[in-house]
Amino acid sequence: MVQYDFLDASFGALADPTRRGILEQLGRGPASVSELAERFEMTLTGIKKHIGLLEDAGMVVTEKRGRVRYCRIGEHVFDREVAWMQGYRQMLEARMDRLGEFLERTEPER
């Protein structure tokens, strides 16, 4: 069986509106954990849990500079997910094409 563990992590991370908001915020540029906590009106502990899930999914990278931990969007975010969706879409389109061809062949003449 093909393993899609990365999809579980990705879609699980995206399932939460706060995490989607964090990604949107980081899409505008890097931010410190404290800035994100303030922006989302959360405790540091709470925001760190969200960031941890995003990190595990490969969507966010953190880096400590001095006493401050900064977050940024990871490189190649969603590349694997988009590739999976494109492959799935191609498969569905091929099935629909075959169905269309079948219906054309079996359509009674008028």
Side-chain angles (χ1 to χ4, degrees):
M1 184 167 122
V2 179
Q3 294 295 314
Y4 293 114
D5 294 340
F6 70 94
L7 289 175
D8 296 340
S10 298
F11 291 131
L14 293 172
D16 184 85
T18 299
R19 290 190 287 274
R20 291 191 305 269
I22 291 169
L23 288 174
E24 187 176 323
Q25 182 71 32
L26 294 177
R28 295 184 193 108
S32 71
V33 172
S34 298
E35 290 168 337
L36 292 171
E38 184 177 314
R39 161 80 169 80
F40 291 96
E41 300 178 352
M42 297 185 82
T43 64
L44 286 174
T45 302
I47 203 77
K48 284 179 185 178
K49 287 180 182 179
H50 285 294
I51 291 168
L53 286 169
L54 290 167
E55 261 188 308
D56 291 345
M59 297 177 183
V60 170
V61 175
T62 64
E63 172 186 1
K64 191 165 185 175
R65 288 186 236 144
R67 296 179 63 188
V68 180
R69 181 163 294 280
Y70 289 92
C71 304
R72 64 178 169 79
I73 295 286
E75 292 184 32
H76 310 292
V77 172
F78 301 124
D79 285 354
R80 295 181 304 172
E81 294 81 358
V82 169
W84 176 81
M85 285 187 262
Q86 287 173 334
Y88 199 77
R89 181 178 187 169
Q90 290 171 351
M91 178 191 64
L92 291 176
E93 287 175 352
R95 285 183 180 182
M96 294 303 289
D97 289 345
R98 287 193 304 272
L99 175 61
E101 291 166 4
F102 171 77
L103 292 174
E104 285 178 13
R105 285 193 317 267
T106 58
E107 181 178 19
E109 296 200 22
R110 296 177 187 200

